[in-house]
């Protein structure tokens, strides 16, 4: 137990330290790398809390996909590091305000949670791993909400495609089906060129 | 003191020994995979392959390793030093940690966790970081282009891999790799039930490990060697080891998901006498042969063709197969509760 607690605190401290570094790192790419470290430590804390499914999904979705795209974009940006640092103090009050509001909200949520009567809560039967428990809840009790969330995501995808898709005319595209169906006799003609004359 | 030894030190020591028991044979396997690759490709191209160092060139991998050890480590002046050195380490470590959940036999697994498949998926999706960090930290255009190609490619093919794995999960009803093998004992190997997905998975793991014909990230003709062009000596060796260890890991995943893991092909006497881990190794070798075979046979894809294959062929096919599998499982009520 003590070893587990020690690991928990270590993960928590590294998570907070890397979160601070995300904001204060000079190089934006380093910021993203620290963000990934932060995600990782959070995943470790999930594992220690017994939520191994959430931990793995956090790593797969956020670290494996979302942060890769972040990194991708940040690396491509042409950023002047010196100019980037100049605005730091100007933005500090706004940042601090947002941080304070978030902190206050978190404290409020935590306080109400602590004061609330312990309700029926999570009644997970023995011997059911949390992947299965989550699946059952999502596909039975919260089925409609789950489907609506999926629909919203679908709309977001369609919207993103509609916004970025532009039909360009005159672009030569490879059409695999047409290529496969081409016969030599349709495309190739044998020409006997006489000496001294062009085709 | 004796109590401390029994409660803490001994289990930790045992764990370290078990980890070494996986890692040391794995590194040997990596060394001889390079040898096997050269020999197989040589045979396919009617050459002899390495023949000089040792009998039949058997000591060639050791000589290569020694050569890489004694070379100078060069760090480019414009490089971001910490990230530059971190990148090959990440690649190598990620290629090793996946082995923690691979079941070598009944109960023969380092960590028998319930989300084993997700763990493997997470590890393989992290593999892109080693490459993208290397490409960026090198501060070289070729390396950066290789890294960009690689990250787009790996993220694209992961989606198809995810859907293929989901088909297997629906059939097995578990995320635990040992359970998936046991389910195949009852239902028959999934290579028969999910044969189209098996083929798709082989294609997708070729792309995921950046191997031929999808080795665009290190396309030597247009990018020199892509993301690792600035690396030398041990840092290069770590990339190399990581790439080959990843190939073996992906082969092991294929064997566990589709080829019945440690199970013999038929449960009859002479086949059951061979121990389970040996069967797994044989199956891994079979899939590795396909890797090498593809390298010797197929020309490299163009980048837009690669993207089209991932998004317009593998993704819709695997998604359709998930729907089909789920439909069959529900219709025949074979789903575990």
């Amino acid at each position: 137990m003590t070893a587990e607690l020690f690991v928990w605190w270590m993960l928590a401290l590294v998570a907070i330290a890397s979160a601070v570094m995300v904001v204060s790192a000079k190089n934006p790419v380093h910021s993203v790398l620290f963000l990934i470290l932060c995600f990782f430590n959070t995943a470790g804390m999930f594992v220690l809390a017994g939520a191994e499914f959430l931990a793995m999904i956090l790593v797969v979705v956020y670290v494996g996909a979302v942060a890769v795209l972040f990194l991708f974009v940040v690396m491509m940006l042409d950023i002047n590091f010196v100019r980037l640092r100049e605005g730091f103090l100007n933005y500090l009050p706004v940042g601090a305000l947002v941080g304070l509001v978030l902190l206050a909200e978190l404290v409020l949520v935590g306080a109400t949670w602590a004061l609330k009567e312990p309700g029926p809560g999570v009644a997970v039967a023995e011997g059911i791993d949390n992947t299965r428990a989550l699946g059952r809840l999502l596909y039975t009790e919260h089925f409609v909400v789950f489907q609506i969330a999926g629909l919203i995501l679908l709309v977001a995808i369609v919207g993103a495609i509609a916004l970025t898709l532009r039909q360009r005319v005159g672009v030569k595209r490879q059409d695999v089906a047409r290529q496969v169906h081409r016969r030599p006799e349709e495309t190739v003609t044998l020409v006997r060129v006489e000496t001294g004359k062009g085709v | 003191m004796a109590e401390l030894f029994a409660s803490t030190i001994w289990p930790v020591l045992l764990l370290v020994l078990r980890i070494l028991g996986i890692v040391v044979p794995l590194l040997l396997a990596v060394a001889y995979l390079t040898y096997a690759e050269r020999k197989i490709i040589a045979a396919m191209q009617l050459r002899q392959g390495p023949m000089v160092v040792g009998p039949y060139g058997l000591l060639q991998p050791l000589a290569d390793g020694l050569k890489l050890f004694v070379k100078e480590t060069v760090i480019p002046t414009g490089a971001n030093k910490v990230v530059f050195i971190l990148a090959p380490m990440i690649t190598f470590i990620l290629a090793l940690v996946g082995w923690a959940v691979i079941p070598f036999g009944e109960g023969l697994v380092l960590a028998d966790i319930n989300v084993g498949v997700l763990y493997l998926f997470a590890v393989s999706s992290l593999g892109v970081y080693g490459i993208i960090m290397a490409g960026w930290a090198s501060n070289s255009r070729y390396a950066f282009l290789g890294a960009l190609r690689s990250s787009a490619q790996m993220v694209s093919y992961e989606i198809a891999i995810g859907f293929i794995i989901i088909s297997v999960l629906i059939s097995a009803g578990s995320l635990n790799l040992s359970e998936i093998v046991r389910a195949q004992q009852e239902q028959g190997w999934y290579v028969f039930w999910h044969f189209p997905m098996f083929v798709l998975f082989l294609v997708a793991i070729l792309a995921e490990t950046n191997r031929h014909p999808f080795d665009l990230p290190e396309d030597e003709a247009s990018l020199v060697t892509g993301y690792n062009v600035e690396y030398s000596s041990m840092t290069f060796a770590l990339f190399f080891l990581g790439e080959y260890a990843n190939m073996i890991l992906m082969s092991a995943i294929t064997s566990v998901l589709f080829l019945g893991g440690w199970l013999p092909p038929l449960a009859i006497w002479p086949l059951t006498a061979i121990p389970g881990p040996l069967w797994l190794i044989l199956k891994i070798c079979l899939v590795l042969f396909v890797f090498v075979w593809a390298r010797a046979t197929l020309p490299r894809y163009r980048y837009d063709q690669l993207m089209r294959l991932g998004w317009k062929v593998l993704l819709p096919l695997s998604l359709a197969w998930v729907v089909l599998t789920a439909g069959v499982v529900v219709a025949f009520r074979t789903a575990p509760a």
Side-chain angles (χ1 to χ4, degrees), chain A residues 27 29-30 33 36 40 52-53 56-57 59-60 63-64 67-68 71-72 75-76 129 131-132 136 174 176, chain B residues 80 83 114-115 118-119 121-122 125-126 128-129 132-133 136 144 148 151 155 173 175 302 304-305 308 337:
Chain A
N27 190 329
V29 172
H30 290 173
L33 293 176
I36 293 160
F40 245 113
E52 72 260 14
F53 182 75
M56 290 304 153
I57 290 297
V59 175
V60 170
V63 183
V68 172
L71 204 58
F72 201 89
M75 281 178 180
M76 304 275 271
D129 50 76
T131 314
R132 198 154 291 185
R136 276 189 190 165
Q174 189 180 11
V176 180
Chain B
N80 196 311
V83 181
N114 277 327
V115 286
L118 275 178
Y119 173 82
F121 192 57
S125 68
L126 293 180
V128 66
Y129 280 112
I132 196 169
M133 281 164 75
W136 177 77
F144 191 55
L148 288 184
S151 48
V155 169
L175 284 165
R302 214 172 55 210
D304 61 318
Q305 294 172 330
R308 189 183 56 223

Side-chain angles (χ1 to χ4, degrees), chain A residues 66-133:
Chain A
V66 176
V68 172
L69 296 180
F70 275 12
L71 204 58
F72 201 89
V73 172
V74 169
M75 281 178 180
M76 304 275 271
L77 294 176
D78 190 20
I79 300 172
N80 187 341
F81 296 139
V82 183
R83 292 233 356 240
L84 200 71
R85 304 299 301 170
E86 277 173 2
F88 192 74
L89 279 179
N90 297 344
Y91 293 124
L92 198 60
V94 184
L97 189 70
V98 173
L100 269 179
V101 170
L102 279 178
L103 185 70
E105 282 177 347
L106 269 179
V107 168
L108 278 177
V109 168
T112 44
W113 199 20
L115 289 176
K116 209 173 69 176
E117 289 282 304
V122 276
V124 178
E126 280 294 312
I128 291 186
D129 50 76
N130 61 44
T131 314
R132 198 154 291 185

Side-chain angles (χ1 to χ4, degrees), chain B residues 191-258:
Chain B
V191 63
F192 303 120
W193 297 114
H194 295 291
F195 185 72
M197 290 305 105
F198 175 67
V199 177
L200 256 55
F201 195 73
L202 283 181
V203 174
I205 59 174
L206 283 177
E208 185 72 9
T209 48
N210 296 322
R211 291 286 300 179
H212 290 256
F214 306 112
D215 64 335
L216 272 297
E218 43 177 294
D219 182 355
E220 71 273 358
S222 62
L223 287 183
V224 198
T225 58
Y227 64 90
N228 59 20
V229 65
E230 301 290 345
Y231 283 87
S232 61
S233 122
M234 271 322 281
T235 48
F236 174 77
L238 284 182
F239 270 123
F240 199 74
L241 288 173
E243 185 187 329
Y244 280 79
N246 245 333
M247 277 166 65
I248 305 180
L249 177 66
M250 283 295 174
S251 308
I253 297 173
T254 316
S255 312
V256 169
L257 291 183
F258 291 99

Side-chain angles (χ1 to χ4, degrees), chain B residues 152-221:
Chain B
Q153 170 180 338
M154 286 169 90
V155 169
S156 307
Y157 279 78
E158 251 154 41
I159 300 171
I161 288 186
F163 278 123
I164 295 167
I165 290 177
I166 288 175
S167 305
V168 171
L169 294 185
I170 291 174
S171 317
S174 175
L175 284 165
N176 186 319
L177 288 161
S178 306
E179 290 294 328
I180 290 175
V181 174
R182 278 183 214 118
Q184 291 181 67
Q185 197 160 22
E186 290 167 24
Q187 304 169 6
W189 294 5
Y190 289 146
V191 63
F192 303 120
W193 297 114
H194 295 291
F195 185 72
M197 290 305 105
F198 175 67
V199 177
L200 256 55
F201 195 73
L202 283 181
V203 174
I205 59 174
L206 283 177
E208 185 72 9
T209 48
N210 296 322
R211 291 286 300 179
H212 290 256
F214 306 112
D215 64 335
L216 272 297
E218 43 177 294
D219 182 355
E220 71 273 358

